[in-house]
Amino acid sequence: MPYFDAASSAPLHPVARQALLAALDEGWADPARLYREGRRARLLLDAAREAAAEAVGCRPDELAFTPSGTRAVHEGIAGALAGRRRAGRRLIVSAVEHSSVLHTAGAHEADGGRVTEVPVDRTGRIAPGAYAAALREAPDGVALACLQSANHEVGTLQPVAEAAEECAAAGVPLLVDAAQSLGWGPTEGNWSLLTASAHKWGGPAGVGLLAVRKGVRFRTVQPADERESGRSPGFENLPAIVAAAASLRAVRAEAAAEAERLRGLVDRIRAQVPELVPEVEVVGDPERRLPHLVTFSCLYVDGEALLHELDRAEFSVSSGSSCTSSTLTPSHVLRAMGVLSEGNVRVSLPRGTTEAEVDRFLELLPGVVADVREHLGAPKPAEAAPGPDPDPEPELVVDSLGKRCPIPVIELAKVISEVPVGGVVTVLSDDEAARLDIPAWCEMRGQTYEGERPADRGVAYRVRRRA
């Protein structure tokens, strides 16, 4: 069964498995003890730290191992904010950061701190000079800025080196979440703190990395002990740490060749999906992106149903669609980008993915999407296209209150041709996804979105027929 969700968690690399088994025999003792078994464990821990630090591009004594990438983010942000409390209490983040960053920002705000969110363009990338502008316009002192190296949902690479220079010029440290990119190469630029997660590159789950450059003011918030420089207290999971470091070195050795190969497979998906499946938007930067990841959204499709059908066809993929979420709100990444969220599919190819697997996915996808659309009563492409102008009223109201993604957009598509060119369709909806998907539908279908206004129990979205 092809597994196409490496961005969530990559399959365990063979080197990680070998190192893990060996370390279970040799690295079970306490590395803080001076007897023989403890010294042997300490040698393994030091070797793992040196290997990981070389891959990160920092000194070994700047790197701490944490129980997860999320913990590394939480401890990194909290420690930098606490260490620079005198400089100010403002935190700057991009709108598409991982939820671990945004959750920490929310906790900081709840504690009386302030947060500035830097917007992104339609590809998910911050604009050149965006962090310099945010720093310049901040009304008070900035303690820390955060920027991911690559987006986990759409694969867009961020200009980390440029942002790091802008932050350095202002005397503000930059924390980089490198979880998605570290397995492909080092993070460029003069960053101050960096976090990563081993299971993203094929290491075992339960190991994160937190690098803090010398000279960065940092104060651990939680109770500390003598382990990991006091930045991540508790007994180290030494076998997992050894396996994480060994697999990071192994994937780096393969990265150049595998990136070129997987980029070719992703290019094929990016090019062929819009040709094979009508009404699809491929999102993310087409060039400045991770080599193994592509995301696309399908109009008139329930994201959860689509993922279930692909699973039945033996393909494991992920989604940022609101239809797959119990909150019924679209992914914060897709929302910040202003792109279609319904029927969203993220394909992230693990190392070793074959051409035959990609060919089979492209062969099956059109039928799967068509079946889901038919089940939902979505208009066929010919039906969705505007027909000749009829005589009815120049304005229609579509009541989609209580109906969830993608039904409001399906009902809009069914009636748009019932108003003349220049006429208006008003869609009433209480589904948060409609706020994103109706404007995206207008963009894709060549219609004019005229905005929203409050309505009883929901929101009224106005669409003017232009084509």
Side-chain angles (χ1 to χ4, degrees), residues 29-35 37-39 41-42 45 226-227 235-236:
D30 186 347
R33 298 293 174 252
L34 298 179
Y35 42 71
E37 295 85 355
R39 294 197 306 271
R42 185 72 198 186
L45 180 59
E226 71 278 4
R227 300 178 190 274
F235 198 96
E236 299 95 343

PDB file of all heavy atoms in Angstrom, residues 29-35 37-39 41-42 45 226-227 235-236:
ATOM      1  N   ALA A  29      22.265   2.367  29.960  1.00  0.00           N
ATOM      2  CA  ALA A  29      22.652   2.890  31.279  1.00  0.00           C
ATOM      3  C   ALA A  29      22.519   4.411  31.320  1.00  0.00           C
ATOM      4  O   ALA A  29      22.308   5.076  30.309  1.00  0.00           O
ATOM      5  CB  ALA A  29      24.081   2.467  31.606  1.00  0.00           C
ATOM      6  N   ASP A  30      22.692   4.958  32.531  1.00  0.00           N
ATOM      7  CA  ASP A  30      22.591   6.405  32.750  1.00  0.00           C
ATOM      8  C   ASP A  30      23.884   7.076  32.278  1.00  0.00           C
ATOM      9  O   ASP A  30      24.955   6.833  32.856  1.00  0.00           O
ATOM     10  CB  ASP A  30      22.357   6.676  34.233  1.00  0.00           C
ATOM     11  CG  ASP A  30      22.092   8.143  34.529  1.00  0.00           C
ATOM     12  OD1 ASP A  30      22.333   8.990  33.644  1.00  0.00           O
ATOM     13  OD2 ASP A  30      21.646   8.453  35.653  1.00  0.00           O
ATOM     14  N   PRO A  31      23.808   7.949  31.235  1.00  0.00           N
ATOM     15  CA  PRO A  31      25.034   8.581  30.742  1.00  0.00           C
ATOM     16  C   PRO A  31      25.635   9.589  31.718  1.00  0.00           C
ATOM     17  O   PRO A  31      26.741  10.088  31.476  1.00  0.00           O
ATOM     18  CB  PRO A  31      24.567   9.271  29.453  1.00  0.00           C
ATOM     19  CG  PRO A  31      23.108   9.476  29.619  1.00  0.00           C
ATOM     20  CD  PRO A  31      22.623   8.326  30.442  1.00  0.00           C
ATOM     21  N   ALA A  32      24.948   9.890  32.807  1.00  0.00           N
ATOM     22  CA  ALA A  32      25.487  10.824  33.791  1.00  0.00           C
ATOM     23  C   ALA A  32      26.339  10.115  34.848  1.00  0.00           C
ATOM     24  O   ALA A  32      26.947  10.779  35.697  1.00  0.00           O
ATOM     25  CB  ALA A  32      24.343  11.579  34.477  1.00  0.00           C
ATOM     26  N   ARG A  33      26.399   8.781  34.792  1.00  0.00           N
ATOM     27  CA  ARG A  33      27.150   8.025  35.797  1.00  0.00           C
ATOM     28  C   ARG A  33      28.578   7.738  35.324  1.00  0.00           C
ATOM     29  O   ARG A  33      28.840   7.695  34.121  1.00  0.00           O
ATOM     30  CB  ARG A  33      26.421   6.708  36.114  1.00  0.00           C
ATOM     31  CG  ARG A  33      25.039   6.934  36.713  1.00  0.00           C
ATOM     32  CD  ARG A  33      25.135   7.569  38.089  1.00  0.00           C
ATOM     33  NE  ARG A  33      23.819   7.916  38.613  1.00  0.00           N
ATOM     34  CZ  ARG A  33      23.354   9.144  38.721  1.00  0.00           C
ATOM     35  NH1 ARG A  33      24.093  10.165  38.321  1.00  0.00           N
ATOM     36  NH2 ARG A  33      22.166   9.378  39.225  1.00  0.00           N
ATOM     37  N   LEU A  34      29.487   7.513  36.281  1.00  0.00           N
ATOM     38  CA  LEU A  34      30.904   7.387  35.970  1.00  0.00           C
ATOM     39  C   LEU A  34      31.373   5.941  35.815  1.00  0.00           C
ATOM     40  O   LEU A  34      32.519   5.703  35.421  1.00  0.00           O
ATOM     41  CB  LEU A  34      31.739   8.069  37.063  1.00  0.00           C
ATOM     42  CG  LEU A  34      31.503   9.583  37.204  1.00  0.00           C
ATOM     43  CD1 LEU A  34      32.370  10.133  38.338  1.00  0.00           C
ATOM     44  CD2 LEU A  34      31.817  10.298  35.905  1.00  0.00           C
ATOM     45  N   TYR A  35      30.544   4.971  36.139  1.00  0.00           N
ATOM     46  CA  TYR A  35      30.974   3.579  35.968  1.00  0.00           C
ATOM     47  C   TYR A  35      30.956   3.197  34.484  1.00  0.00           C
ATOM     48  O   TYR A  35      30.524   3.974  33.634  1.00  0.00           O
ATOM     49  CB  TYR A  35      30.114   2.622  36.801  1.00  0.00           C
ATOM     50  CG  TYR A  35      28.635   2.920  36.795  1.00  0.00           C
ATOM     51  CD1 TYR A  35      27.851   2.704  35.667  1.00  0.00           C
ATOM     52  CD2 TYR A  35      28.013   3.419  37.932  1.00  0.00           C
ATOM     53  CE1 TYR A  35      26.494   2.971  35.671  1.00  0.00           C
ATOM     54  CE2 TYR A  35      26.663   3.693  37.953  1.00  0.00           C
ATOM     55  CZ  TYR A  35      25.909   3.456  36.804  1.00  0.00           C
ATOM     56  OH  TYR A  35      24.566   3.738  36.804  1.00  0.00           O
ATOM     57  N   GLU A  37      29.356   1.192  32.361  1.00  0.00           N
ATOM     58  CA  GLU A  37      28.161   1.228  31.513  1.00  0.00           C
ATOM     59  C   GLU A  37      27.701   2.665  31.271  1.00  0.00           C
ATOM     60  O   GLU A  37      27.236   3.009  30.187  1.00  0.00           O
ATOM     61  CB  GLU A  37      27.028   0.416  32.157  1.00  0.00           C
ATOM     62  CG  GLU A  37      27.304  -1.068  32.274  1.00  0.00           C
ATOM     63  CD  GLU A  37      28.096  -1.415  33.522  1.00  0.00           C
ATOM     64  OE1 GLU A  37      28.507  -0.468  34.255  1.00  0.00           O
ATOM     65  OE2 GLU A  37      28.301  -2.610  33.787  1.00  0.00           O
ATOM     66  N   GLY A  38      27.846   3.524  32.305  1.00  0.00           N
ATOM     67  CA  GLY A  38      27.477   4.925  32.141  1.00  0.00           C
ATOM     68  C   GLY A  38      28.398   5.647  31.176  1.00  0.00           C
ATOM     69  O   GLY A  38      27.945   6.468  30.362  1.00  0.00           O
ATOM     70  N   ARG A  39      29.715   5.345  31.263  1.00  0.00           N
ATOM     71  CA  ARG A  39      30.655   5.976  30.334  1.00  0.00           C
ATOM     72  C   ARG A  39      30.380   5.549  28.898  1.00  0.00           C
ATOM     73  O   ARG A  39      30.476   6.350  27.965  1.00  0.00           O
ATOM     74  CB  ARG A  39      32.095   5.626  30.725  1.00  0.00           C
ATOM     75  CG  ARG A  39      32.531   6.203  32.065  1.00  0.00           C
ATOM     76  CD  ARG A  39      34.047   6.189  32.217  1.00  0.00           C
ATOM     77  NE  ARG A  39      34.613   4.867  32.005  1.00  0.00           N
ATOM     78  CZ  ARG A  39      34.779   3.950  32.964  1.00  0.00           C
ATOM     79  NH1 ARG A  39      34.374   4.233  34.208  1.00  0.00           N
ATOM     80  NH2 ARG A  39      35.332   2.798  32.711  1.00  0.00           N
ATOM     81  N   ALA A  41      27.464   4.688  27.683  1.00  0.00           N
ATOM     82  CA  ALA A  41      26.265   5.416  27.260  1.00  0.00           C
ATOM     83  C   ALA A  41      26.603   6.876  26.945  1.00  0.00           C
ATOM     84  O   ALA A  41      26.080   7.455  25.982  1.00  0.00           O
ATOM     85  CB  ALA A  41      25.191   5.338  28.343  1.00  0.00           C
ATOM     86  N   ARG A  42      27.498   7.460  27.752  1.00  0.00           N
ATOM     87  CA  ARG A  42      27.872   8.860  27.521  1.00  0.00           C
ATOM     88  C   ARG A  42      28.590   9.030  26.188  1.00  0.00           C
ATOM     89  O   ARG A  42      28.372  10.018  25.470  1.00  0.00           O
ATOM     90  CB  ARG A  42      28.788   9.331  28.654  1.00  0.00           C
ATOM     91  CG  ARG A  42      29.137  10.810  28.550  1.00  0.00           C
ATOM     92  CD  ARG A  42      27.950  11.656  28.890  1.00  0.00           C
ATOM     93  NE  ARG A  42      28.090  13.017  28.420  1.00  0.00           N
ATOM     94  CZ  ARG A  42      27.225  13.985  28.700  1.00  0.00           C
ATOM     95  NH1 ARG A  42      26.157  13.728  29.441  1.00  0.00           N
ATOM     96  NH2 ARG A  42      27.397  15.185  28.232  1.00  0.00           N
ATOM     97  N   LEU A  45      25.965   9.094  23.547  1.00  0.00           N
ATOM     98  CA  LEU A  45      25.225  10.357  23.551  1.00  0.00           C
ATOM     99  C   LEU A  45      26.063  11.478  22.942  1.00  0.00           C
ATOM    100  O   LEU A  45      25.568  12.285  22.142  1.00  0.00           O
ATOM    101  CB  LEU A  45      24.815  10.717  24.979  1.00  0.00           C
ATOM    102  CG  LEU A  45      24.024  12.011  25.158  1.00  0.00           C
ATOM    103  CD1 LEU A  45      22.726  11.984  24.363  1.00  0.00           C
ATOM    104  CD2 LEU A  45      23.744  12.267  26.645  1.00  0.00           C
ATOM    105  N   GLU A 226      20.349  18.685  35.539  1.00  0.00           N
ATOM    106  CA  GLU A 226      21.683  18.785  34.939  1.00  0.00           C
ATOM    107  C   GLU A 226      21.736  18.245  33.512  1.00  0.00           C
ATOM    108  O   GLU A 226      22.751  18.375  32.831  1.00  0.00           O
ATOM    109  CB  GLU A 226      22.693  18.022  35.808  1.00  0.00           C
ATOM    110  CG  GLU A 226      22.562  16.505  35.767  1.00  0.00           C
ATOM    111  CD  GLU A 226      21.471  15.972  36.694  1.00  0.00           C
ATOM    112  OE1 GLU A 226      20.762  16.799  37.313  1.00  0.00           O
ATOM    113  OE2 GLU A 226      21.321  14.740  36.792  1.00  0.00           O
ATOM    114  N   ARG A 227      20.659  17.640  33.031  1.00  0.00           N
ATOM    115  CA  ARG A 227      20.690  17.015  31.712  1.00  0.00           C
ATOM    116  C   ARG A 227      20.380  18.015  30.603  1.00  0.00           C
ATOM    117  O   ARG A 227      19.607  18.940  30.788  1.00  0.00           O
ATOM    118  CB  ARG A 227      19.703  15.846  31.661  1.00  0.00           C
ATOM    119  CG  ARG A 227      20.004  14.762  32.692  1.00  0.00           C
ATOM    120  CD  ARG A 227      18.991  13.644  32.653  1.00  0.00           C
ATOM    121  NE  ARG A 227      19.170  12.745  33.791  1.00  0.00           N
ATOM    122  CZ  ARG A 227      20.018  11.714  33.804  1.00  0.00           C
ATOM    123  NH1 ARG A 227      20.741  11.458  32.734  1.00  0.00           N
ATOM    124  NH2 ARG A 227      20.138  10.956  34.876  1.00  0.00           N
ATOM    125  N   PHE A 235      15.424  11.954  31.975  1.00  0.00           N
ATOM    126  CA  PHE A 235      16.343  10.928  31.473  1.00  0.00           C
ATOM    127  C   PHE A 235      16.232  10.841  29.955  1.00  0.00           C
ATOM    128  O   PHE A 235      15.146  10.695  29.395  1.00  0.00           O
ATOM    129  CB  PHE A 235      15.986   9.583  32.100  1.00  0.00           C
ATOM    130  CG  PHE A 235      17.071   8.562  32.013  1.00  0.00           C
ATOM    131  CD1 PHE A 235      17.947   8.359  33.062  1.00  0.00           C
ATOM    132  CD2 PHE A 235      17.229   7.787  30.875  1.00  0.00           C
ATOM    133  CE1 PHE A 235      18.953   7.414  32.984  1.00  0.00           C
ATOM    134  CE2 PHE A 235      18.233   6.840  30.784  1.00  0.00           C
ATOM    135  CZ  PHE A 235      19.105   6.650  31.840  1.00  0.00           C
ATOM    136  N   GLU A 236      17.375  10.924  29.270  1.00  0.00           N
ATOM    137  CA  GLU A 236      17.380  10.897  27.807  1.00  0.00           C
ATOM    138  C   GLU A 236      16.987   9.512  27.283  1.00  0.00           C
ATOM    139  O   GLU A 236      17.390   8.478  27.836  1.00  0.00           O
ATOM    140  CB  GLU A 236      18.776  11.239  27.258  1.00  0.00           C
ATOM    141  CG  GLU A 236      19.276  12.614  27.645  1.00  0.00           C
ATOM    142  CD  GLU A 236      20.139  12.621  28.867  1.00  0.00           C
ATOM    143  OE1 GLU A 236      20.095  11.606  29.623  1.00  0.00           O
ATOM    144  OE2 GLU A 236      20.846  13.620  29.095  1.00  0.00           O
TER     145      GLU A 236
END
